[in-house]
Amino acid sequence: MKIAFIGLGNMGGGMAVNLVKAGHEVHAFDLAAEALDKAKGNGCAVYTAVRDAVQGVDAVVSMLPNGGIVKSVYSADVIGQAPKGALFLDCSTIDVATAREVGEAAKAAGYEMVDAPVSGGIAAANGGTLTFMVGGSEATFAKAQVVLEPMAKAVIHAGELGAGQVAKMCNNMLLAIHMIGTCEALALAEKAGLSMQKFYEISSKSTGYNWSLNDYTPAPGVGAASPADNGYQGGFASALMLKDLRLAMAGAQAAGATVPMGEHATAIYEAFNEAGNGGKDFGAIFTTL
């Protein structure tokens, strides 16, 4: 397939390369010259304008920073520029309302579209082991799978358009809550006289088991290797976690849902980011304890 890939940041760059490895012809666009140079070196054809990148393609994949940019790019440079019948896959993490609005606009113009946000982080993007949560019709999902599978360990149909974003906001709210609780438990164990390593050995095999503890341990030198062992560099930035939490809070308000733990996690990450820690991995919340 010919696939335009829009947005070659920390996640998108690795994702585009995995499409090349799968044998697809990838037309890559990014505002950063360095990202384009890297994509070119990895086998992508590079473009300096979105509307040029989408000419003649079978599908368009986007990985962009926020809903406003997604809406702007699709309305100005993708819808009406890509061939009629092309499949659009937005893998950005954005608000549900914008995902549905852009998808409906694409449909009205003769295109098929899914929202397909991801879970897994930079390492998974590079390794082709992301989990995709996909919103769209059954028929469109079936077509999207072909594009997504080279980048994925799992591609899951969440429901109709926008359902992928619902899944992502709920998943990352839960992740933030788990991470804070994991950090608190590790710190409490140490201060109460039990080494963090010994607590990890016990809790990781007990009912305290969770991904933040078992697979991404936020205390340096304890348990699984993670950005904690590298000064909390790399991984999933706290600023991005805060972005996702704010999307979840907006989603909760729109749905009339009560999320007290989510609200508290948001407040904790807001304070952490305001203290200048937005570039650190979200597990660095451990350092506040």
Side-chain angles (χ1 to χ4, degrees):
M1 297 176 68
K2 291 183 180 180
I3 302 171
F5 202 106
I6 313 303
L8 305 169
N10 289 332
M11 298 291 289
M15 292 165 68
V17 172
N18 283 315
L19 289 174
V20 172
K21 289 178 180 177
H24 298 300
E25 179 181 321
V26 178
H27 298 191
F29 168 84
D30 196 272
L31 292 173
E34 182 179 351
L36 289 177
D37 289 343
K38 186 174 181 180
K40 185 176 181 179
N42 284 312
C44 298
V46 299
Y47 294 81
T48 55
V50 172
R51 59 181 56 206
D52 293 335
V54 303
Q55 296 298 312
V57 300
D58 303 300
V60 177
V61 180
S62 52
M63 179 58 95
L64 298 165
N66 58 58
I69 294 173
V70 170
K71 183 177 178 179
S72 175
V73 167
Y74 274 89
S75 61
D77 296 309
V78 178
I79 295 173
Q81 301 298 323
K84 287 291 177 67
L87 174 65
F88 298 162
L89 307 93
D90 181 41
C91 298
S92 317
T93 296
I94 63 174
D95 61 285
V96 178
T98 298
R100 288 175 176 158
E101 181 183 352
V102 174
E104 290 300 329
K107 182 179 178 181
Y111 301 93
E112 295 181 90
M113 186 167 189
V114 297
D115 59 300
V118 306
S119 177
I122 297 171
N126 292 336
T129 57
L130 292 167
T131 294
F132 288 86
M133 315 160 205
V134 186
S137 70
E138 289 278 3
T140 308
F141 170 72
K143 295 177 182 179
Q145 278 185 291
V146 178
V147 179
L148 297 174
E149 283 175 348
M151 303 180 283
K153 70 174 180 182
V155 181
I156 302 169
H157 189 205
E160 294 301 314
L161 191 68
Q165 298 297 345
V166 174
K168 178 62 185 286
M169 73 178 184
C170 294
N171 181 77
N172 276 28
M173 182 181 76
L174 181 59
L175 175 59
I177 294 168
H178 276 175
M179 178 56 80
I180 294 168
T182 295
C183 290
E184 289 183 355
L186 284 162
L188 173 59
E190 184 84 7
K191 291 180 180 180
L194 176 68
S195 75
M196 287 188 288
Q197 178 61 36
K198 189 57 65 176
F199 172 74
Y200 167 84
E201 292 171 11
I202 294 168
S203 192
S204 64
K205 296 177 179 61
S206 304
T207 52
Y209 173 101
N210 70 85
W211 184 84
S212 294
L213 175 67
N214 284 59
D215 302 310
Y216 206 83
T217 318
V222 177
S226 77
D229 302 306
N230 188 36
Y232 298 100
Q233 299 304 304
F236 184 51
S238 294
L240 295 178
M241 175 55 83
L242 179 57
K243 170 202 165 186
D244 289 358
L245 283 166
R246 285 172 170 165
L247 288 173
M249 295 307 98
Q253 184 176 21
T258 302
V259 288
M261 292 295 289
E263 290 174 354
H264 192 44
T266 303
I268 289 171
Y269 274 102
E270 282 178 340
F272 191 61
N273 277 263
E274 288 169 3
N277 298 303
K280 295 180 181 178
D281 178 73
F282 80 113
I285 204 76
F286 177 78
T287 63
T288 66
L289 302 169

